[in-house]
Amino acid sequence: MAGVKITDTTLRDAHQSLIATRMKTEDMLPIAEKLDKIGFHSLEVWGGATFDSCLRFLKEDPWERLRSLRKAFKNTKLQMLLRGQNLLGYKHYPDDIVEMFIKKSIENGIDIIRIFDALNDPRNIKKSIEFTKKYGGQAQAAISYTTSPVHNNEYYIKLSIEFEKMGADSICIKDMSGILMPYEAEKLVRGLKENISLPIQIHSHFTSGIANQTYMKAIEAGADIIDTAISPLGMGTSQPATESMVASLQGSPYYPDINMDLLLEVSDYFKQLRDRYLKEGLLSEKVLNVDVRTLRYQIPGGMLSNLVSQLNSQGALDKFEEVLEEVPKVREDLGYPPLVTPMSQMVGTTAVFNVLLGERYKMVPKETKNYVKGLYGKPAVPIKEEIKKKIIGDEEVFAGRPADLLEPELDKLRKEIKEYIEQEEDVLTYALFPQVALDFFKHRQVEKYKIDVSLLDEEFSVYPV
């Protein structure tokens, strides 16, 4: 067989996992030429939380970042992560916005779109697959991997067969928590290979310390592609280190066609960058550690840090262990949703409320209520009637595809921001993050046209000129 292929995540998931998605485009471009020549199957450079962070924290246009990267990478496919009908936001968007977003992502440089749904509800990714194919992209359907009484290999194989019928070009086993065990990975990959004809990609996080072994068993079972990150931004809550995985396959039929000399040069560049992030306080040593609690609570690294932040803000960090114990209980009550965005936020915040208020479901976030009402999709296990009653009372539960409730919005949104539009993509930016987008558009006008900031509204006056 040909060697295993590698997708490097350094420019997306690695820095999202380790430095809260704060890597700037100016830090990516100097090393692009060398990254491009290493021989990667693809580079994950966009999607996930990068879009929000570009706007909110870095004051960068995410579309301009994508165009710059596309120009820099002449040989390697560019890949992004998309939350199905949620796109890169935290709610469902109408089909007209989903279509335009995918069209523009591909036009601006994306080759492969990895599409997942937090509930593994095929209805929530069907349109994304359809639009990706329509505009010439490769559609990779992702399984949000978790474990529960119903989430087993038979469930994932059945799901993947459905994805293949929908037109997916490949399947990704997306293990966001780092809980996929090596021998389970071997069984799952073998099962998938026996039932579908698509390439299989493995994505895991090193949070629990087992992802390297999981990758090895998956590769031996026939996995075609693995996700890794350059070592200075690998391991910890990120992906396994690219250099180590490549080296570990030496002497085997799985050894990838990778330029190791260039890989080490790229590694040196990111070592310097990592040192700078440490000095700037963007990188905490804590996220570089293995956290075996992940195996018990199935909590991804990003969710752990978010729980700490929420409890800190309430002066209740002493309740951390109690909240960790509550998370799997809430997850069971809600039908065992995988702990991935936006479900991880819903389950985590609900668990915090339950503990701090001393009474379960006394106060429930609006998003969790909407989930129970069926507005995010169908859970793998029906939610028990008594839990529904506690959370939404006698309100009706919607059983259809959530996006069917949504009216087209593009024309309305275009009119709302007509004075700020400089490119068609601005309407999509506004659709996903309305207030953050407006702040960014105003900032852009100040920077571009040197407008007197005092002429803008007070809300924007906190930004420096």
Side-chain angles (χ1 to χ4, degrees), residues 29-66:
L29 293 176
I31 199 64
E33 186 178 354
K34 287 183 179 177
L35 268 172
D36 194 32
K37 293 176 179 175
I38 287 174
F40 290 125
H41 165 70
S42 65
L43 290 160
E44 190 189 57
V45 300
W46 213 59
T50 59
F51 198 96
D52 186 2
S53 288
C54 270
L55 296 164
R56 192 185 301 266
F57 303 113
L58 304 178
K59 291 294 176 279
E60 288 188 20
D61 181 352
W63 298 101
E64 188 54 43
R65 169 180 290 189
L66 177 54

Side-chain angles (χ1 to χ4, degrees), residues 3-195:
V4 70
K5 296 175 182 177
I6 293 179
T7 292
D8 189 88
T9 67
T10 307
L11 303 186
R12 203 288 294 179
D13 201 8
H15 72 102
Q16 179 172 322
S17 298
L18 295 182
I19 61 166
T21 333
R22 297 297 199 277
M23 191 187 294
K24 298 176 181 178
T25 307
E26 66 187 43
D27 290 334
M28 302 176 181
L29 293 176
I31 199 64
E33 186 178 354
K34 287 183 179 177
L35 268 172
D36 194 32
K37 293 176 179 175
I38 287 174
F40 290 125
H41 165 70
S42 65
L43 290 160
E44 190 189 57
V45 300
W46 213 59
T50 59
F51 198 96
D52 186 2
S53 288
C54 270
L55 296 164
R56 192 185 301 266
F57 303 113
L58 304 178
K59 291 294 176 279
E60 288 188 20
D61 181 352
W63 298 101
E64 188 54 43
R65 169 180 290 189
L66 177 54
R67 288 189 285 266
S68 297
L69 292 173
R70 178 70 283 169
K71 190 176 179 182
F73 291 110
K74 296 177 171 59
N75 305 300
T76 314
K77 288 185 174 67
L78 299 186
Q79 185 165 322
M80 73 170 288
L81 180 68
L82 191 83
R83 302 177 190 132
Q85 206 73 29
N86 289 4
L87 295 176
L88 303 181
Y90 307 103
K91 65 174 186 177
H92 281 205
Y93 297 92
D95 290 340
D96 65 329
I97 290 176
V98 172
E99 179 169 9
M100 182 60 74
F101 190 90
I102 288 171
K103 178 176 184 282
K104 285 296 175 183
S105 298
I106 293 169
E107 280 181 6
N108 281 284
I110 290 296
D111 300 293
I112 303 167
I113 302 183
R114 177 177 294 168
I115 306 160
F116 78 94
D117 176 64
L119 296 175
N120 287 317
D121 187 336
R123 300 172 304 174
N124 291 338
I125 75 166
K126 185 176 182 181
K127 286 290 183 182
S128 296
I129 291 175
E130 179 186 315
F131 296 142
T132 301
K133 304 278 284 185
K134 178 179 177 179
Y135 294 106
Q138 290 184 35
Q140 181 176 86
I143 293 163
S144 295
Y145 184 84
T146 188
T147 59
S148 80
V150 295
H151 290 94
N152 51 34
N153 287 353
E154 185 181 350
Y155 168 89
Y156 292 124
I157 290 167
K158 184 178 176 184
L159 189 63
S160 299
I161 291 170
E162 191 164 356
F163 289 158
E164 183 174 33
K165 287 177 181 174
M166 284 182 177
D169 295 298
S170 59
I171 299 292
C172 174
I173 303 169
K174 177 178 165 59
D175 174 27
M176 56 279 174
S177 303
I179 58 171
L180 177 59
M181 296 294 183
Y183 291 99
E184 278 304 308
E186 181 181 32
K187 289 176 196 169
L188 178 53
V189 171
R190 287 197 196 284
L192 290 172
K193 284 290 183 180
E194 288 168 6
N195 286 277

